[in-house]
Amino acid sequence: MATLLHLSPVFLVMSMLMVLRRPPVQAAMAGAALVALLWLVDAWMATGAAASGAALAAARDTGVLFLSTAFVIVPGLGFVILIERMGVNQALSRWVRSLGLGPADQVVFIVLGLAPLLEAMTGFGVSLIATVPLLLSLFERRAALRMALAGMAIMPWGTLGLATVIGASLAHVDAAALAAVSSLTSTPVFLVLGALSLHLAGERGARAWLLLGGFGLLFVGVLHGISRWLGPEVAGVGAGFAVALGMLVRAQRMRGRAQAAPGWPRQAWPYLALALAIVLLKLLALGTQWDQRWIVQGAQVAWKPLASPGVALTLVLGLLLVRGAGNGIPLASALTARAKRPLLTIFFFLAMSQMMVKAGFLSGLVQLLAELAPAALAPIVAAFGALAGYMTGSNVGGNAIFMPAIALLPESSRLLLAAVHNSATGHAALGSLSIVMLVLGLARTNAQEEGELVRFGFALACLNAAAVALAALVLAGLGVF
């Protein structure tokens, strides 16, 4: 009974989001308020943790985690606002159409290359601004909308791996290790969604499947390698870039030497500048360890501001402003309007999770999980992660809800289960209602299309969770973990 009472904030959030259809920020505030109330009652009845010290620890860790999130989201959204004004993604769409690729090549290039590359660099569904109009111009409308959603759900490393970094802090595991293992638990999702996109495009021959298999392995290999050696911040960027570059080389060979490939659109230089800044700062950190000079320490989590991708985003944002990209628009007010809701939502989800951990509310759930057989544990964690990601529409918010419970599990299984949760949350969040609504808005759909795409997004979340759970069972069965 006590376990159910202590988990009631999670049930409240689920009910507000799924039944009452309230905005995520309202659900997060209500969940945090209920946790605080239950904690006060526990302390008053002298059955809970030592309230004063635990409350201070919860406040410190919430503050550190929120600062690490805000330092990426705020300059990231500023970057998004400016590139939208510059028409960068529209220029990219025109460039892809000019490449002269065949249908199967176009699918692989967009779904495993361009969409993951753009989403990994920025997050916030920005890749859809380029891919939705592009896919609509290349394929039948119904198939194009579904391919756009499938391409989004492929890349849970959005916003330069922010959710993985935050998830690693919450689960008390190494961020690079979590990213590397997550690339393995997500492998079936990459291949299944790629195959689904080919099917939707009507490409079902052996050549199309071989093409997907080759570039799918390239995607996973680069994602895993960069995650392991450099960390999650540049892993998604590198994987998407590798597929895009490989496809461009293939296109040039098919075109022949006599015909030159169209050059990278000049308007899209901010993406190149951001990629260069990320790589150079990462190499500088590896060579000099300068990112170790400033550490913000919480009670149980720590943040290295100089290692954050927010540094690269801030530098490129400043470069754009110096070059006049922000002239004529009230950037501060536009940024406030765009950032306020996601920041408030993430803050209250983080506060809710940290209070639940520090008050011991998750101990009952952890005890129940610990009593399960290993074969049952991975599917349940995948289901929890997918539910949290789909509910919140955010891989950071989804990790904030259940990832702290993973930290309390035995160390021998913690990394694999954290990766299962991280993958399931990320893939489900990118097929959630908020992403579906963005696709619908960009495509100017009707009511029938809206209902169909919402159901398709939910089916994707379920399919992705099952694929992640299956990957975890295979890895555990092979003795990898």
Side-chain angles (χ1 to χ4, degrees):
M1 181 62 72
T3 298
L4 290 177
L5 181 63
H6 287 163
L7 290 177
S8 61
V10 177
F11 301 144
L12 174 63
V13 168
M14 292 168 56
S15 299
M16 290 187 67
L17 289 170
M18 305 301 290
V19 180
L20 300 179
R21 304 286 185 182
R22 305 309 303 163
V25 64
Q26 294 182 13
M29 293 173 69
L34 181 56
V35 173
L37 177 62
L38 292 173
W39 197 0
L40 286 173
V41 171
D42 266 6
W44 180 68
M45 296 177 65
T47 60
S52 57
L56 181 60
R60 287 176 60 191
D61 283 352
T62 299
V64 171
L65 291 168
F66 178 72
L67 285 175
S68 66
T69 303
F71 187 47
V72 177
I73 287 181
V74 173
L77 279 173
F79 178 81
V80 167
I81 291 169
L82 294 185
I83 63 171
E84 285 176 356
R85 181 179 183 272
M86 295 166 63
V88 170
N89 287 337
Q90 289 79 359
L92 280 177
S93 294
R94 292 192 295 270
W95 174 67
V96 173
R97 284 195 295 270
S98 70
L99 292 175
L101 295 170
D105 300 272
Q106 290 171 342
V107 170
V108 174
F109 180 79
I110 296 170
V111 172
L112 281 181
L114 186 63
L117 172 62
L118 299 183
E119 192 60 28
M121 293 180 76
T122 58
F124 317 111
V126 170
S127 66
L128 291 171
I129 300 172
T131 58
V132 169
L134 176 60
L135 288 167
L136 285 171
S137 69
L138 295 173
F139 300 100
E140 183 269 330
R141 181 178 176 86
R142 186 171 182 271
L145 294 177
R146 283 157 175 74
M147 277 190 277
L149 201 57
M152 267 295 295
I154 275 180
M155 178 44 67
W157 275 263
T159 323
L160 300 174
L162 176 63
T164 302
V165 174
I166 297 299
S169 297
L170 294 171
H172 302 161
V173 296
D174 179 70
L178 178 59
V181 181
S182 296
S183 69
L184 300 179
T185 53
S186 289
T187 294
V189 177
F190 303 143
L191 298 177
V192 167
L193 293 187
L196 176 61
S197 298
L198 284 175
H199 180 80
L200 289 168
E203 295 294 316
R204 299 159 193 174
R207 176 187 169 278
W209 302 125
L210 288 173
L211 186 71
L212 172 64
F215 279 98
L217 290 176
L218 173 65
F219 184 88
V220 173
V222 173
L223 187 66
H224 181 76
I226 296 180
S227 295
R228 184 175 180 182
W229 298 111
L230 295 178
E233 297 88 350
V234 292
V237 177
F241 178 77
V243 171
L245 181 61
M247 190 58 69
L248 290 176
V249 171
R250 173 182 167 81
Q252 182 59 38
R253 288 180 177 177
M254 294 170 62
R255 187 183 294 106
R257 296 181 180 179
Q259 186 177 358
W264 179 264
R266 292 184 61 186
Q267 284 175 283
W269 69 264
Y271 280 127
L272 295 180
L274 180 57
L276 182 63
I278 294 167
V279 172
L280 289 179
L281 287 171
K282 197 70 178 179
L283 292 175
L284 179 64
L286 290 172
T288 66
Q289 302 297 312
W290 77 300
D291 56 325
Q292 304 290 333
R293 298 177 183 176
W294 184 17
I295 300 177
V296 180
Q297 185 67 51
Q300 295 179 330
V301 299
W303 171 46
K304 301 174 185 176
L306 297 179
S308 170
V311 176
L313 285 164
T314 302
L315 290 174
V316 177
L317 178 61
L319 178 61
L320 288 170
L321 292 173
V322 168
R323 291 176 62 94
N327 293 344
I329 61 170
L331 181 60
S333 59
L335 185 55
T336 300
R338 292 277 288 268
K340 179 173 62 177
R341 189 175 295 273
L343 285 178
L344 282 174
T345 302
I346 289 171
F347 173 79
F348 283 108
F349 275 131
L350 288 171
M352 171 182 157
S353 69
Q354 289 306 301
M355 285 190 288
M356 291 182 72
V357 170
K358 302 304 190 287
F361 284 9
L362 295 177
S363 58
L365 174 62
V366 172
Q367 184 177 354
L368 290 174
L369 292 176
E371 293 174 354
L372 294 174
L377 200 52
I380 290 177
V381 171
F384 280 162
L387 179 61
Y390 189 83
M391 284 193 313
T392 62
S394 163
N395 42 8
V396 177
N399 274 347
I401 292 181
F402 288 119
M403 193 67 91
I406 305 297
L408 304 176
L409 292 172
E411 189 172 353
S412 59
S413 60
R414 188 186 306 159
L415 179 58
L416 177 59
L417 293 176
V420 170
H421 188 283
N422 188 47
S423 292
T425 299
H427 294 303
L430 295 180
S432 65
L433 289 175
S434 59
I435 297 298
V436 171
M437 291 303 124
L438 181 54
V439 174
L440 295 171
L442 290 169
R444 298 182 181 180
T445 56
N446 55 41
Q448 180 180 351
E449 288 178 324
E450 177 178 334
E452 290 178 353
L453 204 59
V454 167
R455 290 190 292 272
F456 181 76
F458 182 74
L460 278 187
C462 296
L463 175 65
N464 293 340
V468 169
L470 178 61
L473 292 175
V474 170
L475 291 171
L478 293 174
V480 178
F481 296 96

